[in-house]
Amino acid sequence: MRGKLVIGNWKMNGSLEANRCLLQELLPPLAALKGVGVAVCPPFPYLAQVAGLLEGSGVALGAQNLNAAEKGAFTGEVAGGMLAELGCRYVLVGHSERRSLYGESDEAVAEKFEAALAAGLVPVLCVGETLAQRRDGSTEAVIAAQVRAVLQRVGSAAIAVAVVAYEPVWAIGTGETATPEQAQAVHRHIRALLGEADGVLAAATPILYGGSVKADNAAALFAQPDIDGGLIGGASLEAASFLAICQAAR
Ligand code: PGA
């Protein structure tokens, strides 16, 4: 059975003080929340601090990106092994901001996905269409290309441990959310694509929805049969709203 999972993506936000305050408010009520996996992904410089704050809490640590190489002359980059050493369980790969602002292709994302697996991390593969792609009817094809690039590179090993996050680009940080029905249709499509590699594993792969998830729309999204939780940006920076979203996943 797939459990529910909620991951907070802090993006390039936070400070030593803000992180401490946020987790101080979040962790006690989260400790009382059973049956929902929770993780937070702070910026790289705060991973060690947040790892310390999360110790013993049951909340997992994740990173927002990694380099596909194991080590070497890649100034400014971070390897999967480093993230694992700092206590990360998850790492986002192919977030739409990485794809659009930093030119990460489907193939580059697949390489990062493979590197994450090699480092013992759980890759959270982010996929999603732009507004133009949705309008011209290519949503399913875009998602298929993004998912298949990974399956082609790593095969069914891809889905044995991975998480997928469907994040329509037009819904990220815009306040506009996919309706539960729109999201469910794409989630079903993603599960079918994974099923082409391995039906049994696909049935067990968590597929999260992301894109302007808030306390007041989370429950309806999470109630859909193929939506296994959320990847939360803006609303993960505020304790009350992130907590309410985690509670909606119960
Ligand atoms: P948002 O971001 O919740 O602020 O829309 C989601 C994401 O980009 O992961």
Side-chain angles (χ1 to χ4, degrees):
M1 239 346 255
R2 303 187 301 267
K4 289 280 198 267
L5 175 63
V6 179
I7 300 179
N9 172 13
W10 293 359
K11 307 193 180 186
M12 200 173 73
N13 294 292
S15 66
L16 291 171
E17 172 68 4
N19 305 342
R20 199 179 48 73
C21 291
L22 176 61
L23 292 173
Q24 210 164 40
E25 252 189 89
L26 260 180
L27 295 181
L30 281 181
L33 180 69
K34 303 291 171 221
V36 180
V38 179
V40 294
C41 302
F44 290 142
Y46 300 127
L47 286 171
Q49 179 213 13
V50 172
L53 293 167
L54 294 181
E55 225 172 273
S57 71
V59 173
L61 184 65
Q64 300 172 16
N65 184 29
L66 80 166
N67 188 279
E70 236 177 87
K71 62 177 180 176
F74 302 100
T75 302
E77 292 293 293
V78 173
M82 299 170 184
L83 302 177
E85 190 179 19
L86 279 176
C88 288
R89 174 172 166 75
Y90 298 98
V91 62
L92 308 184
V93 294
H95 188 281
S96 72
E97 285 149 20
R98 302 293 320 167
R99 292 177 189 264
S100 68
L101 301 174
Y102 302 98
E104 292 188 9
S105 64
D106 291 348
E107 291 67 33
V109 170
E111 273 183 56
K112 290 186 174 201
F113 187 103
E114 188 176 42
L117 288 180
L121 299 163
V122 177
V124 180
L125 172 67
C126 303
V127 298
E129 81 286 3
T130 63
L131 187 56
Q133 289 164 336
R134 174 159 283 264
R135 288 201 172 130
D136 72 18
S138 54
T139 297
E140 292 209 346
V142 168
I143 305 283
Q146 291 172 337
V147 171
R148 286 196 179 118
V150 170
L151 292 175
Q152 269 156 19
R153 188 159 184 110
V154 290
S156 53
I159 42 179
V161 294
V163 173
V164 179
Y166 168 55
E167 299 204 297
V169 178
W170 47 272
I172 294 177
T174 58
E176 202 175 321
T177 320
T179 65
E181 296 71 26
Q182 279 174 323
Q184 164 58 24
V186 179
H187 280 234
R188 191 191 312 112
H189 173 57
I190 292 170
R191 205 174 298 288
L193 291 164
L194 299 176
E196 292 171 6
D198 188 316
V200 175
L201 292 178
T205 305
I207 306 178
L208 314 183
Y209 171 80
S212 299
V213 177
K214 305 283 179 243
D216 60 0
N217 59 25
L221 287 159
F222 298 165
Q224 297 296 312
D226 287 294
I227 301 184
D228 305 312
L231 179 55
I232 318 301
S236 72
L237 297 171
E238 212 250 317
S241 58
F242 189 62
L243 182 64
I245 292 168
C246 293
Q247 285 166 339
R250 191 174 32 194

